[in-house]
Amino acid sequence: MSLVLYTPGDPNGLGPELLMLADLDRFVRDHALLVIGPEKALEHHCRQMDAQKFWKRIDSLDRDRLDKPGIYLFEPEGLKDFEPAPGKEDVQGGFAAGVSLSTACEFLKYNQNVVLTTGPLNKNLLQEAGFDFPGHTEFLAHQFGMAQDQVCMHLCGDRLRVSLVTTHPPLHLVPELVTQKKILRCLRLTHAFMVRLGEGHKPLAVCGLNPHAGEGGKTGTEETETVIPAIEQARSEKINVQGPFPADTVFYRAWNNEFSAVLAMYHDQGLAPLKLVEFGRCANVTLGLPVVRTSVDHGTGFELVGTGRASPRSLEKALDLALRLAPEDGV
């Protein structure tokens, strides 16, 4: 049996509602799911959907109380007075997201063989609430005492998989953040992940930073000075990698099964094509952490809350992948 922690992200967004919509019956027959967040957010959606309470509340994070399959909920002390504002951007939602995630991380630090799945949060509200991080990836790296260049953000779809060298910096800062060390680290992590998924027999592809992958230095020198040396070092380590390729064609090739995954240099270079063809069917994975963390591939969706138009497919994908990556000995 595996234990999966679920933090709903911003409780005024889709995180709690997706849990209501997801097919959890097959999940909790053999595993335990611990929701960490404000109980009132889930209770609101129960009332809206005329559904019964489906979780057991626990008042302390006692591992021994989580040794049977089922759905549990723990509400951190700082969220006892939380009042939901479903569908609204409220700084209290950012505060609840930060407290829930911090609580989950503390539990993970002292309990082995536990995995984490996260719901979407709003980065602006998270920062307004006093958690000075641009997103989950950076938050988690800090919590586990890791530098930003030690982890890698990866989106895992059914046919297209994309890792990112940089995550959420302003675009004008990207060139200086694309270093040989960071590229090599992402290639190592992505290769290991592909091997784990049974895709290690296919090569990884690397995007160039510049149009036409620099075109031999005519449209930029980052490829010759930084990207290619990193690729050569990876090859010397027996990593099957090709590139750098122009970003305007490499994703088409990956979609057609030529590569196991693509390493993109920055956020929108990699995630725009991915979400065009795989949106709502991907799981976000933070590679390089000492724990397994998966997440949905979309944002808070405030405008969708309560409309009946939200899909739980990405959450189901994230939960399934978390279980697939969970340590075999479980709880």
Side-chain angles (χ1 to χ4, degrees):
M1 186 189 83
S2 293
L3 172 60
V4 180
L5 306 187
Y6 176 63
T7 54
D10 191 313
N12 294 323
L14 286 175
E17 184 175 349
L18 295 176
L19 199 63
M20 304 285 298
L21 297 171
D23 177 13
L24 296 179
D25 289 342
R26 61 184 176 82
F27 182 88
V28 298
R29 277 197 295 267
D30 301 309
H31 306 287
L33 179 67
L34 172 60
V35 182
I36 299 180
E39 187 171 28
K40 287 181 181 178
L42 284 176
E43 290 175 337
H44 166 82
H45 290 286
C46 279
R47 291 192 297 270
Q48 292 298 110
M49 298 180 186
D50 195 24
Q52 296 295 316
K53 180 176 174 179
F54 57 89
W55 63 89
K56 177 182 178 181
R57 179 176 176 133
I58 59 173
D59 294 322
S60 64
L61 285 178
D62 184 351
R63 178 67 176 271
D64 293 337
R65 301 179 65 182
L66 301 167
D67 62 349
K68 295 180 180 179
I71 302 174
Y72 303 84
L73 180 136
F74 174 76
E75 183 176 73
E77 184 65 32
L79 303 184
K80 304 285 185 190
D81 298 324
F82 175 81
E83 291 296 332
K88 296 182 180 179
E89 296 188 24
D90 187 299
V91 69
Q92 290 305 309
F95 177 75
V99 170
S100 298
L101 189 57
S102 296
T103 303
C105 288
E106 288 305 308
F107 184 83
L108 287 163
K109 290 174 186 176
Y110 299 103
N111 292 274
Q112 297 181 346
N113 305 329
V114 181
V115 295
L116 172 67
T117 295
T118 59
L121 52 76
N122 181 286
K123 298 170 179 61
N124 290 334
L125 297 176
L126 180 73
Q127 292 174 339
E128 286 183 28
F131 297 91
D132 191 20
F133 303 97
H136 270 115
T137 303
E138 298 85 357
F139 193 118
L140 291 164
H142 176 79
Q143 284 284 326
F144 289 97
M146 306 184 73
Q148 295 304 306
D149 62 0
Q150 291 180 283
V151 298
C152 178
M153 182 176 175
H154 178 89
L155 270 288
C156 184
D158 291 331
R159 284 181 60 179
L160 192 58
R161 305 173 191 91
V162 177
S163 290
L164 302 177
V165 175
T166 62
T167 51
H168 302 107
L171 193 56
H172 73 92
L173 296 179
V174 167
E176 66 186 66
L177 296 174
V178 174
T179 64
Q180 183 176 337
K181 178 182 177 182
K182 179 65 172 173
I183 294 170
L184 184 58
R185 175 71 172 169
C186 289
L187 285 173
R188 289 168 176 159
L189 291 172
T190 305
H191 171 69
F193 185 56
M194 290 302 105
V195 169
R196 196 167 182 182
L197 294 183
E199 295 287 333
H201 59 286
K202 289 188 291 188
L204 301 175
V206 178
C207 286
L209 174 66
N210 296 294
H212 300 172
E215 206 164 358
K218 295 183 179 63
T219 60
T221 60
E222 284 83 1
E223 285 75 18
T224 56
E225 295 175 354
T226 304
V227 182
I228 291 174
I231 291 173
E232 291 174 346
Q233 176 62 35
R235 286 174 178 159
S236 75
E237 299 176 11
K238 309 302 182 184
I239 295 174
N240 188 3
V241 54
Q242 298 179 11
F245 297 112
D248 60 353
T249 56
V250 70
F251 294 97
Y252 175 79
R253 295 170 64 183
W255 177 255
N256 284 291
N257 209 33
E258 188 174 344
F259 305 112
S260 61
V262 179
L263 178 62
M265 296 296 113
Y266 57 92
H267 187 279
D268 287 11
Q269 182 188 54
L271 299 195
L274 175 86
K275 292 188 178 183
L276 176 66
V277 293
E278 295 267 30
F279 189 57
R281 301 193 300 268
C282 297
N284 187 340
V285 190
T286 306
L287 306 180
L289 289 174
V291 298
V292 171
R293 177 261 174 165
T294 67
S295 186
V296 295
D297 69 353
H298 56 76
T300 48
F302 291 117
E303 72 283 1
L304 296 177
V305 174
T307 67
R309 294 187 286 127
S311 169
R313 290 183 65 186
S314 183
L315 175 59
E316 291 170 349
K317 175 86 173 181
L319 290 171
D320 286 341
L321 185 59
L323 287 177
R324 185 176 177 182
L325 300 175
E328 291 184 4
D329 48 352
V331 175

